[in-house]
């Protein structure tokens, strides 16, 4: 972690409802190394942080590089301005923790936090199908459904700097109850868990 890096190498961390994933992202947009592990959200934030730190150290060591920054993409409600986790459906006991502060202290580099769909939209705009495009909508489908929007080349943020909760648009008012309190949200009908339930029934 104290070695000098010859190029920009960001430790990219994804915090999902089921999986923690870590990769190295070079300035070209390629991912030379990655690792993942179960989130095990019930074990709490400190356990999750320890797993993230161990994986970042491992992938950096295996790739023989020093990271120059850390980017965190997390499911649900997060506060990018303060680097704080909000009230997240899949990580209910992680609310209020500050991964930006913790990872910056541990690795002695700058860190940033975004909702995972917003982070993915930014990545797609920088290196993927949305490169050089003014407008982009990115949809993530996993444990939940999320979306990130690029307008006029900038990440769109809603009220109170929140991100658009596309997964909580009601598709079927008579559908399954959602964690948000409504019924038939897109997230209850088309996520991995929803498909598992549909298959079993």
């Amino acid at each position: 972690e104290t070695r000098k890096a010859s190029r920009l190498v960001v430790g990219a961390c994804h915090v999902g409802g089921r999986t923690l994933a870590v990769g190295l992202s070079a300035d070209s947009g390629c991912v030379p190394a990655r690792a993942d592990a179960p989130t095990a959200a019930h074990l709490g934030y400190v356990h999750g942080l320890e797993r993230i730190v161990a994986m970042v150290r491992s992938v950096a060591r295996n790739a023989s590089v020093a990271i120059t920054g850390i980017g965190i993409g997390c499911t649900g409600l997060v506060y990018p301005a303060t680097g704080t986790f909000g009230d997240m459906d899949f990580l209910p006991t992680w609310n209020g923790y500050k991964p930006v502060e913790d990872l910056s202290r541990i690795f002695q580099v700058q860190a940033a936090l975004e909702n995972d769909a917003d982070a993915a939209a930014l990545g797609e705009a920088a290196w993927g199908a949305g490169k050089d495009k003014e407008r982009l909508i990115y949809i993530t489908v996993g444990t939940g459904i999320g979306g990130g929007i690029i307008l006029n080349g900038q990440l769109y943020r809603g009220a109170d700097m929140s991100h658009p909760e596309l997964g909580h648009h009601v598709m079927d008012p008579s559908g399954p109850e959602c964690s948000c309190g409504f019924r038939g949200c897109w997230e209850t009908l088309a996520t991995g868990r929803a498909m598992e339930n549909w298959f079993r029934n």
Side-chain angles (χ1 to χ4, degrees):
E1 294 151 12
T2 59
R3 290 170 296 160
K4 290 187 177 180
S6 59
R7 65 184 190 278
L8 174 67
V9 180
V10 174
C13 309
H14 174 252
V15 181
R18 292 186 176 185
T19 305
L20 297 174
V22 162
L24 299 179
S25 178
D27 46 11
S28 63
C30 68
V31 181
R34 66 182 71 193
D36 60 72
T39 302
H42 64 285
L43 296 178
Y45 169 76
V46 172
H47 178 268
L49 177 66
E50 290 172 349
R51 297 295 293 276
I52 290 170
V53 169
M55 286 192 292
V56 170
R57 286 175 170 158
S58 176
V59 295
R61 182 171 58 250
N62 291 341
S64 298
V65 298
I67 61 171
T68 56
I70 294 178
I72 310 155
C74 182
T75 181
L77 178 63
V78 300
Y79 298 100
T82 61
T84 307
F85 287 143
D87 187 6
M88 302 177 291
D89 289 349
F90 303 117
L91 304 165
T93 65
W94 295 34
N95 185 7
Y97 284 98
K98 298 186 175 185
V100 166
E101 183 177 298
D102 291 333
L103 291 172
S104 294
R105 182 187 70 254
I106 292 167
F107 289 99
Q108 295 296 297
V109 297
Q110 280 191 308
L113 172 68
E114 287 285 358
N115 169 270
D116 57 354
D118 286 343
L122 288 168
E124 197 68 30
W127 297 297
K131 187 175 182 179
D132 300 324
K133 303 293 193 299
E134 287 292 305
R135 296 177 297 279
L136 164 72
I137 297 178
Y138 189 99
I139 304 296
T140 63
V141 181
T143 307
I145 291 179
I149 300 173
I150 304 293
L151 288 178
N152 300 321
Q154 300 293 320
L155 181 65
Y156 171 79
R157 298 191 189 279
D160 194 27
M161 297 295 285
S162 62
H163 105 108
E165 290 286 354
L166 301 183
H168 292 290
H169 285 226
V170 175
M171 301 295 182
D172 179 4
S174 63
E177 185 174 358
C178 184
S179 60
C180 71
F182 288 96
R183 285 188 171 274
C185 290
W186 191 13
E187 194 164 282
T188 69
L189 302 172
T191 61
R193 286 179 176 175
M195 293 179 193
E196 288 173 4
N197 291 335
W198 175 83
F199 181 79
R200 284 196 294 265
N201 296 327

